């Protein structure tokens, strides 16, 4: 996984989880005032008053995410990337890091936000990174665009890193404990942590049918499902993804979650090619495809080398 920070932003699991339950909570001196998401910002505050200190708590040095988004929007308006009547809802998709499921909107500290904006130029992105302390990276892209089936010649999707370092971490709760999952977000699709992951619940049901199963995670991405299987009861997992960026993320996450290197194999192949390379029968194969991808051919072939297929 590539990191362009001057200090390596990939932390140990203990460092990531330190104070995670309170990291995004306000202190007693934080403002409780928020902004209306759909009302034009200029009707709620004077834009010329917004800077990095606007509603910054002097005690804990955190700001409510609304004011971070307002600061970003002001810069977009000043640089003709948004019109003056825009609301903070128009800014983009905010992704906190490290991210854990939250019951309410977070208060942010420095470099705790990766923002995905639909249309932005490089100059404005760099201004946002330089002037908004909470922003770690600015990515250009459309989060509503469905990611299609990959071939060796395809790019991952329509994201482009415009400024900063886009390596961020998700923290997923599972029946065996917390998984910490790093992602280089401009190269990986978005999956935000949930209090209970439906995908992990589906996999958990299948794993319970076996004592120590062997598993193929055929479209593994950053490794969430295969890593969970190894923390539960899997004897061996074959990780595979055609996207090399996903494999780079996976390798980081295997180390971060202390997975025994003798318990897995990693492949960077088209699934049909992978099937030809494997010479044994596995208990379970996981097929976690992108939406609208036709997996019929994969399913037919994978069923020949696995006792049970779980389609996520």
């Amino acid at each position: 996984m590539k990191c362009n920070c001057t200090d390596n932003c990939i932390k140990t699991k203990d460092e990531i989880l330190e104070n995670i339950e309170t990291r995004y909570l306000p202190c007693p001196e934080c403002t409780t005032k928020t902004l209306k998401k759909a009302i034009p910002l200029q009707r709620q505050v004077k834009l010329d008053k917004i800077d990095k200190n606007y509603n910054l708590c002097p005690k804990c040095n955190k700001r409510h995410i609304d004011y971070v988004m307002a600061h970003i929007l002001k810069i977009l308006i000043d640089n003709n990337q948004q019109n003056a009547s825009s609301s903070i809802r128009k800014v983009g998709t905010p992704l906190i890091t490290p991210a854990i499921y939250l019951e309410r909107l977070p208060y942010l500290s420095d470099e705790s936000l990766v923002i995905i904006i639909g249309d932005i130029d490089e100059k404005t992105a760099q201004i946002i990174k330089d002037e908004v302390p909470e922003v770690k990276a600015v990515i250009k892209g459309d989060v509503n665009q469905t990611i299609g089936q990959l071939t060796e010649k395809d790019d991952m999707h329509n994201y482009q890193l415009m400024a900063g370092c886009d390596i961020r971490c998700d923290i997923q709760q599972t029946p065996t404990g917390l998984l910490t999952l790093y992602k280089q977000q401009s190269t990986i699709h978005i999956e935000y942590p949930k209090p209970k992951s439906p995908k992990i619940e589906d996999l958990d049901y299948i794993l319970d049918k076996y004592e120590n199963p062997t598993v193929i995670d055929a479209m593994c991405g950053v490794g969430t499902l295969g890593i969970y299987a190894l923390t539960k009861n899997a004897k061996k997992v074959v990780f595979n993804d055609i996207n090399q960026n996903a494999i780079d993320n996976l390798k980081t996450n295997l180390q971060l979650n202390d997975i025994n290197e003798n318990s897995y194999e990693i492949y960077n192949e088209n699934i049909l090619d992978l099937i030809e390379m494997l010479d044994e029968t596995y208990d379970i194969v996981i097929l976690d495809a992108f939406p609208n991808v036709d997996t019929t051919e994969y399913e037919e072939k994978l069923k020949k080398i696995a006792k049970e297929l779980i389609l996520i």
Side-chain angles (χ1 to χ4, degrees), residues 10 69 165 235 246:
I10 300 176
M69 298 294 277
C165 177
K235 178 172 64 175

Side-chain angles (χ1 to χ4, degrees), residues 159-173:
Y159 294 157
Q160 180 182 357
L161 177 62
M162 303 298 281
C165 177
D166 61 335
I167 292 178
R168 54 176 299 277
C169 182
D170 285 343
I171 300 170
Q172 178 61 58
Q173 299 180 55

Side-chain angles (χ1 to χ4, degrees), residues 54-307:
Y54 186 70
N55 276 338
L56 178 71
C57 177
K59 183 177 181 180
C60 68
N61 291 314
K62 291 191 285 191
R63 286 197 288 183
H64 190 278
I65 190 172
D66 281 2
Y67 296 106
V68 177
M69 298 294 277
H71 193 179
I72 295 170
L73 179 56
K74 176 186 182 295
I75 294 171
L76 292 172
I77 291 171
D78 288 346
N79 289 271
N80 300 312
Q81 303 291 290
Q82 281 285 351
N83 62 60
S85 63
S86 294
S87 67
I88 60 174
R89 182 174 288 173
K90 297 290 187 180
V91 173
T93 301
L95 300 171
I96 60 173
T97 183
I100 194 166
Y101 176 79
L102 299 173
E103 294 288 346
R104 59 180 181 175
L105 292 174
Y107 286 73
L108 302 178
S109 54
D110 288 359
E111 296 203 333
S112 59
L113 185 72
V114 171
I115 182 79
I116 302 177
I117 300 175
D119 191 15
I120 187 171
D121 60 37
E122 192 170 345
K123 175 186 174 183
T124 306
Q126 191 60 55
I127 293 171
I128 292 171
K129 176 65 181 72
D130 291 342
E131 296 187 5
V132 185
E134 296 86 354
V135 172
K136 187 174 189 289
V138 179
I139 296 172
K140 178 181 178 180
D142 181 1
V143 298
N144 295 313
Q145 180 173 318
T146 301
I147 304 170
Q149 183 176 352
L150 295 172
T151 70
E152 286 84 353
K153 296 181 179 180
D154 288 336
D155 292 327
M156 178 59 192
H157 41 47
N158 66 324
Y159 294 157
Q160 180 182 357
L161 177 62
M162 303 298 281
C165 177
D166 61 335
I167 292 178
R168 54 176 299 277
C169 182
D170 285 343
I171 300 170
Q172 178 61 58
Q173 299 180 55
T174 79
T176 61
L178 297 176
L179 295 184
T180 47
L181 302 159
Y182 270 105
K183 302 176 179 183
Q184 191 155 16
Q185 195 61 73
S186 65
T187 67
I188 295 294
H189 65 287
I190 298 171
E191 281 193 327
Y192 209 71
K194 302 176 179 66
K196 290 185 178 180
S197 165
K199 293 183 179 183
I200 288 177
E201 289 184 330
D202 288 347
L203 175 58
D204 202 50
Y205 173 78
I206 302 298
L207 290 171
D208 280 340
K209 298 164 62 175
Y210 298 86
E211 184 173 352
N212 294 116
T214 53
V215 178
I216 302 173
D217 192 352
M219 292 180 166
C220 67
V222 301
T224 306
L225 297 177
I227 291 173
Y228 171 67
L230 287 168
T231 65
K232 183 177 172 70
N233 64 345
K235 178 172 64 175
K236 174 185 176 182
V237 171
V238 170
F239 291 94
N240 179 71
D241 203 290
I242 198 171
N243 178 14
Q244 180 61 55
N245 294 308
I247 296 298
D248 293 342
N249 287 223
L250 165 68
K251 290 176 179 178
T252 296
N253 293 327
L254 288 165
Q255 293 179 1
L256 191 68
N257 290 281
D258 299 319
I259 303 301
N260 186 326
E261 62 182 13
N262 295 319
S263 66
Y264 61 84
E265 297 176 5
I266 299 174
Y267 293 85
N268 179 208
E269 304 289 342
N270 179 286
I271 291 176
L272 298 179
D273 294 331
L274 172 71
I275 292 168
E276 297 299 321
M277 299 170 69
L278 300 177
D279 56 3
E280 60 182 286
T281 299
Y282 290 77
D283 295 310
I284 302 167
V285 60
I286 306 164
L287 193 55
D288 182 14
F290 295 127
N292 303 320
V293 172
D294 183 0
T295 60
T296 303
E297 184 178 12
Y298 295 154
E299 292 176 54
E300 292 175 355
K301 299 288 187 180
L302 287 167
K303 286 176 181 177
K304 296 179 180 180
I305 62 167
K307 298 177 184 176

